[in-house]
Amino acid sequence: MKLTQTIVALFVAALALPVVAVAQDEEAVDEIVVASQKSLANLRRDLIDAEDDFYSLYNKLNNDNEYDVRCRYETPTGLRKKTHVCRPVFFSKARNREDKNRSIDPKTDRVIADKLVTLQEKLETLVAASPELQEAMARYNTARARLMARSE
């Protein structure tokens, strides 16, 4: 399953690269035409939109609210710039409980790790069963590949 997703992601990424056109005849000088290049800010926005769309659709298809994934903007301590983060509901609830008690329960990380495995299984099952979710994942992978290619 993961190999198939990786192959699809690489195929989509290859299609997302700018198209290059060459000269029309042998004597003409080669000309390179790059399809419209978006700014890094626009590529980041596309990635965030694709991620939000993917998780929104996943949440609709998922039947267990504890395994829904919520995305929002947060400002990490010590930084001024907001960051887009997506976390499963169970993760946020566990961390909030710890904060209220002002103590860290060592069992919490184990519970979260076990639930993350279940979340991965749910994601794989729903993606395999839903062509619409597969398309959303492909859009996310394409947006991610474009941003990575532009960032390098």
Side-chain angles (χ1 to χ4, degrees), residues 73-84:
Y73 286 94
E74 293 180 353
T75 306
T77 305
L79 298 178
R80 293 182 183 177
K81 187 176 180 182
K82 290 185 177 185
T83 305
H84 186 257

mmCIF file of all heavy atoms in Angstrom, residues 73-84:
data_model
loop_
_atom_site.group_PDB
_atom_site.id
_atom_site.type_symbol
_atom_site.label_atom_id
_atom_site.label_comp_id
_atom_site.label_asym_id
_atom_site.label_seq_id
_atom_site.Cartn_x
_atom_site.Cartn_y
_atom_site.Cartn_z
ATOM 1 N N TYR A 73 -4.021 27.391 13.036
ATOM 2 C CA TYR A 73 -2.772 28.147 13.106
ATOM 3 C C TYR A 73 -2.394 28.336 14.571
ATOM 4 O O TYR A 73 -3.238 28.659 15.395
ATOM 5 C CB TYR A 73 -2.910 29.508 12.430
ATOM 6 C CG TYR A 73 -2.940 29.406 10.932
ATOM 7 C CD1 TYR A 73 -4.136 29.331 10.240
ATOM 8 C CD2 TYR A 73 -1.756 29.376 10.206
ATOM 9 C CE1 TYR A 73 -4.159 29.229 8.856
ATOM 10 C CE2 TYR A 73 -1.765 29.270 8.829
ATOM 11 C CZ TYR A 73 -2.973 29.201 8.165
ATOM 12 O OH TYR A 73 -2.986 29.092 6.800
ATOM 13 N N GLU A 74 -1.113 28.121 14.860
ATOM 14 C CA GLU A 74 -0.594 28.321 16.201
ATOM 15 C C GLU A 74 0.693 29.125 16.099
ATOM 16 O O GLU A 74 1.405 29.047 15.100
ATOM 17 C CB GLU A 74 -0.268 26.978 16.872
ATOM 18 C CG GLU A 74 -1.465 26.121 17.156
ATOM 19 C CD GLU A 74 -1.097 24.795 17.813
ATOM 20 O OE1 GLU A 74 0.109 24.483 17.938
ATOM 21 O OE2 GLU A 74 -2.023 24.059 18.179
ATOM 22 N N THR A 75 0.986 29.835 17.163
ATOM 23 C CA THR A 75 2.257 30.551 17.252
ATOM 24 C C THR A 75 3.105 29.832 18.289
ATOM 25 O O THR A 75 2.812 29.907 19.488
ATOM 26 C CB THR A 75 2.041 32.018 17.663
ATOM 27 O OG1 THR A 75 1.105 32.620 16.769
ATOM 28 C CG2 THR A 75 3.348 32.790 17.624
ATOM 29 N N PRO A 76 4.124 29.092 17.856
ATOM 30 C CA PRO A 76 4.978 28.386 18.815
ATOM 31 C C PRO A 76 5.652 29.355 19.787
ATOM 32 O O PRO A 76 5.944 30.498 19.436
ATOM 33 C CB PRO A 76 6.023 27.694 17.932
ATOM 34 C CG PRO A 76 5.405 27.650 16.570
ATOM 35 C CD PRO A 76 4.515 28.856 16.476
ATOM 36 N N THR A 77 5.881 28.897 20.988
ATOM 37 C CA THR A 77 6.528 29.720 22.002
ATOM 38 C C THR A 77 7.864 30.239 21.488
ATOM 39 O O THR A 77 8.671 29.502 20.946
ATOM 40 C CB THR A 77 6.760 28.894 23.285
ATOM 41 O OG1 THR A 77 5.505 28.352 23.706
ATOM 42 C CG2 THR A 77 7.363 29.746 24.391
ATOM 43 N N GLY A 78 8.066 31.543 21.655
ATOM 44 C CA GLY A 78 9.312 32.155 21.234
ATOM 45 C C GLY A 78 9.335 32.623 19.792
ATOM 46 O O GLY A 78 10.300 33.239 19.363
ATOM 47 N N LEU A 79 8.290 32.322 19.048
ATOM 48 C CA LEU A 79 8.233 32.742 17.649
ATOM 49 C C LEU A 79 7.071 33.702 17.440
ATOM 50 O O LEU A 79 6.113 33.714 18.210
ATOM 51 C CB LEU A 79 8.075 31.534 16.720
ATOM 52 C CG LEU A 79 9.208 30.512 16.732
ATOM 53 C CD1 LEU A 79 8.872 29.352 15.807
ATOM 54 C CD2 LEU A 79 10.523 31.146 16.303
ATOM 55 N N ARG A 80 7.157 34.486 16.383
ATOM 56 C CA ARG A 80 6.074 35.422 16.071
ATOM 57 C C ARG A 80 5.203 34.926 14.923
ATOM 58 O O ARG A 80 4.062 35.311 14.795
ATOM 59 C CB ARG A 80 6.654 36.784 15.704
ATOM 60 C CG ARG A 80 7.320 37.442 16.864
ATOM 61 C CD ARG A 80 7.831 38.799 16.494
ATOM 62 N NE ARG A 80 8.540 39.369 17.627
ATOM 63 C CZ ARG A 80 9.148 40.507 17.603
ATOM 64 N NH1 ARG A 80 9.166 41.227 16.499
ATOM 65 N NH2 ARG A 80 9.765 40.958 18.660
ATOM 66 N N LYS A 81 5.791 34.088 14.101
ATOM 67 C CA LYS A 81 5.087 33.620 12.908
ATOM 68 C C LYS A 81 4.173 32.450 13.245
ATOM 69 O O LYS A 81 4.588 31.488 13.891
ATOM 70 C CB LYS A 81 6.106 33.200 11.853
ATOM 71 C CG LYS A 81 5.496 32.859 10.533
ATOM 72 C CD LYS A 81 6.568 32.546 9.512
ATOM 73 C CE LYS A 81 5.930 32.202 8.192
ATOM 74 N NZ LYS A 81 6.929 31.850 7.190
ATOM 75 N N LYS A 82 2.952 32.539 12.775
ATOM 76 C CA LYS A 82 1.997 31.446 12.994
ATOM 77 C C LYS A 82 2.339 30.276 12.091
ATOM 78 O O LYS A 82 2.806 30.454 10.969
ATOM 79 C CB LYS A 82 0.572 31.913 12.721
ATOM 80 C CG LYS A 82 0.054 32.877 13.752
ATOM 81 C CD LYS A 82 -1.391 33.212 13.517
ATOM 82 C CE LYS A 82 -1.887 34.124 14.611
ATOM 83 N NZ LYS A 82 -3.313 34.378 14.502
ATOM 84 N N THR A 83 2.090 29.082 12.596
ATOM 85 C CA THR A 83 2.365 27.853 11.871
ATOM 86 C C THR A 83 1.069 27.065 11.723
ATOM 87 O O THR A 83 0.268 26.994 12.656
ATOM 88 C CB THR A 83 3.393 26.999 12.652
ATOM 89 O OG1 THR A 83 4.553 27.786 12.887
ATOM 90 C CG2 THR A 83 3.772 25.762 11.881
ATOM 91 N N HIS A 84 0.873 26.470 10.570
ATOM 92 C CA HIS A 84 -0.300 25.635 10.318
ATOM 93 C C HIS A 84 -0.008 24.236 10.839
ATOM 94 O O HIS A 84 0.960 23.613 10.418
ATOM 95 C CB HIS A 84 -0.597 25.601 8.818
ATOM 96 C CG HIS A 84 -1.853 24.899 8.465
ATOM 97 N ND1 HIS A 84 -1.873 23.625 7.944
ATOM 98 C CD2 HIS A 84 -3.140 25.287 8.559
ATOM 99 C CE1 HIS A 84 -3.123 23.279 7.721
ATOM 100 N NE2 HIS A 84 -3.910 24.263 8.088
#
